[in-house]
């Protein structure tokens, strides 16, 4: 299967592929077996997860020397270590003696990485230091047994690893996304939580749910009052993509439009916390919109006022567009990063033990004053539906297992995609490239 021809490049600035929602010439087909076949999952394990940069944790998780974070993907396990020289390093989580995993969970205050089996020990830079009963091995040189290095680097507060120690630099992999998102000054975000939700769905089913907003009309009807899900430009670069979506306006799908009061109520229902109105609280009257302003301007100012009052954070550098228009970046293969000026949230889809299992992980960040100290994020697993992640995310989670089950129907050999789903098309185009189509 080749998807390359389906994305149009006309009118694109150099280096970009602009995909308008109507620009595919015919429906784009993707084999459904990619979502259900264990053989395809095995190919992904070899060709994708072993060789690709992937989001592992936040800088808050490894802020102090001696902090160790365990990142597992399929049968791979990588340790991310803040060493005593202050540098971040990554190693395969394996002992060079007989292959025991060195660490089973995140830890802090480590001065060494010691295997619990026979107690070989490495320093935090991965150098072998101690071998009990060393003489029994004859001539064993420490320098011959460093931990196996992996690649590690960060973008803003997000830590990425690549199991391949000789891979391309992270900055090259992410290009041009960090430059495009530089306006959001993401170094000033701190991670407050990394929540993993096990889901009986393939990782692609999970991330596809965060790669298009065609489904807003289906499973998030409340949003139609407060988001323009139709006039939302998308950009596809080589591996990554972006959606730009205006909030604080009604969807054109609402034929009669919506009044300011309805838009206000919709905004409060979906994301009232951004203006200090908690879930379930009455939205009240829409504030007056001054002459020459829009409701988006009024909402943006409420966000600035709320942040200054509660967090002491000045958002005056962000204009209405930066506070009221979401930028959503989809990074190959399994990550989506959502920005408003006051918000950074990441959704990561992880493969599970079978092609029908995975997890939807949410990394939530708070904007803080510049140079504010790092946090201790909550890092935990939660059953689907056991805790509300907010109206919209709850609706997404509730949808995923059913979306996966249907993919096993005997007649359904292909998914049929539109230009509006170009970020899903682009994922498969890149999987073609990495795994072979
Ligand atoms: S397996 Fe690690 S010390 Fe033996
Ligand atoms: Fe959704």
């Amino acid at each position: 299967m080749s998807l390359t021809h389906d994305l149009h490049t006309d009118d694109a600035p150099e280096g970009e592929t602009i995909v308008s929602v109507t620009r595919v010439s015919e429906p784009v087909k993707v084999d459904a077996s990619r979502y259900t076949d264990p053989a395809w999952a095995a190919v992904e394990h070899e060709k994708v997860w072993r060789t690709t940069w992937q989001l592992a944790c936040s800088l808050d998780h490894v802020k102090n020397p001696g902090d160790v974070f365990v990142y597992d993907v399929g049968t791979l396990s990588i340790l991310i270590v803040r060493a005593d020289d202050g540098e971040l390093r990554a190693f395969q989580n394996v002992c060079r003696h007989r292959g025991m995993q060195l660490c089973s969970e995140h830890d802090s205050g480590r001065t060494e990485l010691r295997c619990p089996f026979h107690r070989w020990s490495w320093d935090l830079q991965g150098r072998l230091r101690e071998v009990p009963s060393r003489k029994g091995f004859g001539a064993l040189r420490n320098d011959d047994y460093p931990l196996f290095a992996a690649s590690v680097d960060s973008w803003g507060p997000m830590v990425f690893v690549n199991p391949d120690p000789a891979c391309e630099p992270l900055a090259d992999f992410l290009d041009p996304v960090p430059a495009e998102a530089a306006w959001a000054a993401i170094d000033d975000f701190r991670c407050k939580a990394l929540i993993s939700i096990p889901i009986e769905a393939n990782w692609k089913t999970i991330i596809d749910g965060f790669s298009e907003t065609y489904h807003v009309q289906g499973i998030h009807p409340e949003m139609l009052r407060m988001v323009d899900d139709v006039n939302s430009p998308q950009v596809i670069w080589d591996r990554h993509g972006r959606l730009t979506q205006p909030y604080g306006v009604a969807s054109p799908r609402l034929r009669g439009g919506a009044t300011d009061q309805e838009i206000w109520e919709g905004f409060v229902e979906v994301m009232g916390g951004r203006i200090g109105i908690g879930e379930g609280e009455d939205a009240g009257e829409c504030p007056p919109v001054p002459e020459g302003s829009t409701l988006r301007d009024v909402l943006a100012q409420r966000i600035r006022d709320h942040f200054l009052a509660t967090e002491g954070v000045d958002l005056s550098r962000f204009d209405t567009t930066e506070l009221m228009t979401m930028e959503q970046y989809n990074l190959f293969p399994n990550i989506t990063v959502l920005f408003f000026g006051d918000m950074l949230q990441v959704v990561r889809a992880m493969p599970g033990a079978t092609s029908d299992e995975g997890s939807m992980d949410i990394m939530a960040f708070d904007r803080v004053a510049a140079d504010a100290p790092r946090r201790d994020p909550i890092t935990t697993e939660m059953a689907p539906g056991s805790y509300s992640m907010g109206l919209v995310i709850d609706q997404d989670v509730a949808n995923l297992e059913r979306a996966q089950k249907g993919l096993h129907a005997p007649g359904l050999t292909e998914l049929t995609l539109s230009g509006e789903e170009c970020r899903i098309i682009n994922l498969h185009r890149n999987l073609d490239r990495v795994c072979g189509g």
Side-chain angles (χ1 to χ4, degrees):
M1 175 176 58
S2 171
L3 297 165
T4 312
H5 65 284
D6 293 305
L7 300 176
H8 293 256
T9 56
D10 47 325
D11 305 328
E14 201 175 338
E16 290 186 0
T17 302
I18 302 293
V19 181
S20 123
V21 293
T22 56
R23 300 288 307 167
V24 294
S25 51
E26 56 189 28
V28 176
K29 309 285 191 178
V30 171
D31 291 346
S33 63
R34 286 190 171 190
Y35 292 74
T36 55
D37 182 356
W40 180 262
V43 171
E44 287 176 345
H45 189 63
E46 283 305 310
K47 301 282 181 71
V48 177
W49 306 113
R50 285 178 182 275
T51 58
T52 303
W53 282 104
Q54 46 211 288
L55 178 65
C57 63
S58 73
L59 283 176
D60 299 88
H61 286 98
V62 283
K63 56 184 173 299
N64 296 319
D67 285 349
V68 177
F69 190 90
V70 182
Y71 172 70
D72 294 325
V73 55
T75 58
L76 287 170
S77 185
I78 307 283
L79 299 178
I80 299 144
V81 179
R82 176 73 67 184
D84 25 22
D85 61 357
E87 291 294 310
L88 262 191
R89 290 186 174 76
F91 308 105
Q92 287 192 49
N93 183 11
V94 62
C95 173
R96 298 282 313 257
H97 175 219
R98 275 169 47 199
M100 177 85 171
Q101 285 199 333
L102 291 170
C103 301
S104 58
E105 54 191 21
H106 320 313
D107 204 356
S108 56
R110 289 287 190 104
T111 56
E112 61 177 6
L113 295 165
R114 184 177 287 277
C115 178
F117 203 169
H118 313 94
R119 298 184 58 75
W120 286 32
S121 176
W122 287 261
D123 69 15
L124 298 180
Q125 299 186 33
R127 298 175 296 208
L128 181 63
R129 284 290 178 250
E130 196 182 323
V131 176
S133 304
R134 176 186 289 268
K135 284 186 186 144
F137 291 92
L140 182 153
R141 287 170 11 103
N142 283 2
D143 288 351
D144 292 338
Y145 292 90
L147 293 180
F148 295 120
S151 300
V152 63
D153 203 349
S154 55
W155 169 38
M158 295 172 273
V159 175
F160 291 74
V161 295
N162 188 325
D164 178 0
C167 65
E168 66 183 315
L170 177 65
D172 291 355
F173 172 78
L174 292 176
D175 183 61
V177 172
E180 292 284 327
W183 66 270
I186 63 170
D187 288 336
D188 295 342
F189 282 100
R190 300 286 180 267
C191 185
K192 63 179 170 192
L194 170 53
I195 311 286
S196 291
I197 306 171
I199 306 263
E200 288 183 19
N202 186 271
W203 67 273
K204 295 185 292 300
T205 303
I206 296 169
I207 202 63
D208 287 357
F210 298 89
S211 305
E212 47 85 6
T213 51
Y214 183 36
H215 71 263
V216 164
Q217 48 169 335
I219 65 171
H220 310 302
E222 301 82 356
M223 293 185 76
L224 293 174
R225 287 181 296 169
M226 50 74 79
V227 70
D228 186 342
D229 56 330
V230 174
N231 300 299
S232 303
Q234 300 188 62
V235 180
I236 298 294
W237 295 289
D238 187 24
R239 284 181 275 215
H240 315 304
R242 179 181 65 203
L243 165 78
T244 305
Q245 189 152 70
Y247 280 56
V249 288
S251 167
R253 293 188 199 277
L254 291 182
R255 291 290 149 95
T259 63
D260 279 358
Q261 180 65 30
E262 288 166 335
I263 297 170
W264 168 260
E265 288 172 8
F267 189 85
V268 168
E269 182 174 11
V270 172
M271 45 178 55
R274 293 177 68 201
I275 53 173
I277 304 179
E279 209 165 311
E281 280 182 51
D282 184 16
E285 291 276 308
C286 175
V289 177
E291 190 73 28
S293 293
T294 63
L295 180 54
R296 275 162 56 86
D297 295 325
V298 170
L299 284 162
Q301 190 54 43
R302 289 288 291 252
I303 292 169
R304 290 187 202 100
D305 293 346
H306 174 65
F307 254 72
L308 196 57
T310 58
E311 310 291 331
V313 177
D314 180 6
L315 298 179
S316 60
R317 68 186 135 154
F318 297 116
D319 63 19
T320 294
T321 300
E322 290 165 339
L323 289 167
M324 292 299 298
T325 297
M326 181 181 72
E327 283 196 356
Q328 178 179 6
Y329 293 86
N330 285 77
L331 307 181
F332 179 77
N334 64 332
I335 301 158
T336 189
V337 185
L338 299 106
F339 289 106
F340 289 99
D342 58 316
M343 261 180 74
L344 167 61
Q345 196 170 68
V346 181
V347 177
R348 175 181 71 178
M350 295 297 291
T354 72
S355 36
D356 287 308
E357 294 170 275
S359 84
M360 177 181 146
D361 301 344
I362 297 172
M363 212 181 270
F365 294 84
D366 285 328
R367 184 175 279 289
V368 295
D371 302 325
R374 296 214 166 270
R375 304 271 177 86
D376 288 320
I378 296 165
T379 304
T380 190
E381 188 175 295
M382 285 181 184
S386 64
Y387 177 81
S388 174
M389 309 290 296
L391 174 73
V392 174
I393 297 279
D394 289 352
Q395 289 168 332
D396 287 317
V397 170
N399 195 56
L400 292 169
E401 295 190 356
R402 188 165 153 192
Q404 179 71 19
K405 282 202 174 87
L407 291 167
H408 288 269
L412 189 95
T413 55
E414 294 168 330
L415 313 188
T416 301
L417 302 174
S418 80
E420 199 164 344
E421 293 160 310
C422 59
R423 286 171 288 152
I424 301 176
I425 296 171
N426 198 42
L427 169 60
H428 285 283
R429 190 173 67 154
N430 276 284
L431 287 173
D432 277 358
R433 194 149 57 187
V434 174
C435 298

